[in-house]
Amino acid sequence: MGNGAKAQQKRERGKNDAKPAKSQLKQNEMAKTIICSVCRSTFLCTVKKNELVVHAENKHSKAFDDCFQGYVEPPPKKTK
């Protein structure tokens, strides 16, 4: 048995054990929970407040509170 046959057997075994690809797109869309009240742009729930402030000042020339009235700062992560 040559090396070519071993490679072919490995490919066949891999094909049988292959799992379907999982996409992260739906989860990412559901995680966009922060919405700018001026332009209705959505942001991921993990975005930092600094990035939202930059958006409000640069895009709308408004204060942070004018664009994101219902924003609640997430609690800091606990470290072990």
Side-chain angles (χ1 to χ4, degrees):
M1 187 184 285
N3 287 337
K6 288 181 183 179
Q8 182 63 31
Q9 285 179 342
K10 200 172 205 178
R11 279 192 289 269
E12 288 174 4
R13 276 192 225 124
K15 188 176 13 172
N16 294 339
D17 295 338
K19 296 177 185 174
K22 294 183 182 178
S23 177
Q24 199 66 35
L25 295 175
K26 289 181 183 176
Q27 287 84 5
N28 288 349
E29 284 300 316
M30 290 180 357
K32 290 183 179 180
T33 57
I34 301 172
I35 301 173
C36 175
S37 60
V38 177
C39 67
R40 307 301 290 171
S41 292
T42 56
F43 298 89
L44 286 174
C45 60
T46 57
V47 70
K48 300 206 186 296
K49 184 176 178 180
N50 296 342
E51 294 179 37
L52 298 175
V53 170
V54 168
H55 170 82
E57 291 174 352
N58 291 343
K59 186 141 185 174
H60 306 299
S61 300
K62 295 187 176 190
F64 171 79
D65 294 329
D66 296 336
C67 292
F68 303 99
Q69 289 98 4
Y71 179 76
V72 177
E73 185 104 23
K77 290 184 177 180
K78 295 179 183 178
T79 57
K80 294 181 178 180

